Amino acid sequence: METKEKFLSFNLGVMDTAVISLQHIIEVLQVPLPEICGVPQMHSSILGIYNWRGEMLWLVDLQAMLGYPPISQESNLVSRMMAIVLENKGKYLGLLVRQLLDIEWLDTKQMKSATTELFYPKISPFLQGYFINDSEEMIFNLDAITIIQAPIWDIHN
């Protein structure tokens, strides 16, 4: 049985690498920061709304959501961010990340279970598990559906 899946890998924070399964990713696009429309009184990790294909796409600072320093506070902030657009049952969400790395084939049989002791409390609920790469580094496997269904979005969905 084939257990390899395609994942999109990207940086989280300064040192960490995360992946999300391609099956929930609709599109990856560059978002010019001035085109993000801020929304007052929102959860701190929600950066605002972006006009995507004529639809309102909520954009989230994935690092802030997962307990890392917010992207928006980084000194080397670029004028365009990469957004990973996730979809589940007609709900869309844009995750802003600093840098995309690659498309990787990973064997889901080699995924290890995420124990809460190993990870920040904020990231644990969104982890499906983790992989260890050839350089012995941990790669977090984020669960797209859990991210889309996170309770912090209930305010506007």
Side-chain angles (χ1 to χ4, degrees):
M1 191 180 119
E2 184 58 57
T3 56
K4 283 200 165 192
E5 255 184 71
K6 273 186 176 175
F7 290 87
L8 177 66
S9 63
F10 51 92
N11 289 122
L12 263 188
V14 182
M15 303 295 288
D16 295 335
T17 302
V19 292
I20 290 181
S21 169
L22 279 190
Q23 58 184 343
H24 297 292
I25 298 175
I26 299 293
E27 191 178 337
V28 171
L29 62 150
Q30 275 199 320
V31 176
L33 289 182
E35 290 179 30
I36 300 173
C37 178
V39 181
Q41 290 160 2
M42 278 288 156
H43 189 276
S44 59
S45 62
I46 299 174
L47 289 183
I49 300 168
Y50 177 68
N51 181 350
W52 172 68
R53 300 181 183 174
E55 299 278 327
M56 276 185 2
L57 179 68
W58 288 88
L59 291 176
V60 179
D61 180 337
L62 186 62
Q63 292 195 168
M65 177 181 173
L66 299 178
Y68 288 84
I71 291 181
S72 52
Q73 287 174 10
E74 290 185 7
S75 52
N76 57 348
L77 190 64
V78 287
S79 59
R80 293 169 173 272
M81 302 299 292
M82 295 308 295
I84 301 169
V85 182
L86 302 180
E87 187 272 338
N88 179 47
K89 296 182 182 158
K91 273 188 182 177
Y92 297 91
L93 189 64
L95 305 180
L96 285 179
V97 297
R98 195 174 38 171
Q99 194 179 3
L100 298 176
L101 298 172
D102 207 355
I103 303 259
E104 309 198 28
W105 280 99
L106 295 170
D107 188 342
T108 52
K109 270 202 200 129
Q110 294 179 345
M111 184 168 64
K112 301 180 182 348
S113 305
T115 54
T116 41
E117 304 81 63
L118 270 179
F119 299 98
Y120 298 125
K122 271 190 168 173
I123 199 173
S124 294
F126 304 108
L127 278 179
Q128 268 185 315
Y130 64 95
F131 298 97
I132 302 288
N133 68 11
D134 300 335
S135 342
E136 299 291 312
E137 295 160 331
M138 213 185 269
I139 298 177
F140 305 151
N141 181 11
L142 297 176
D143 186 339
I145 294 179
T146 311
I147 291 173
I148 293 175
Q149 293 173 342
I152 57 174
W153 317 132
D154 290 350
I155 36 186
H156 60 74
N157 277 341

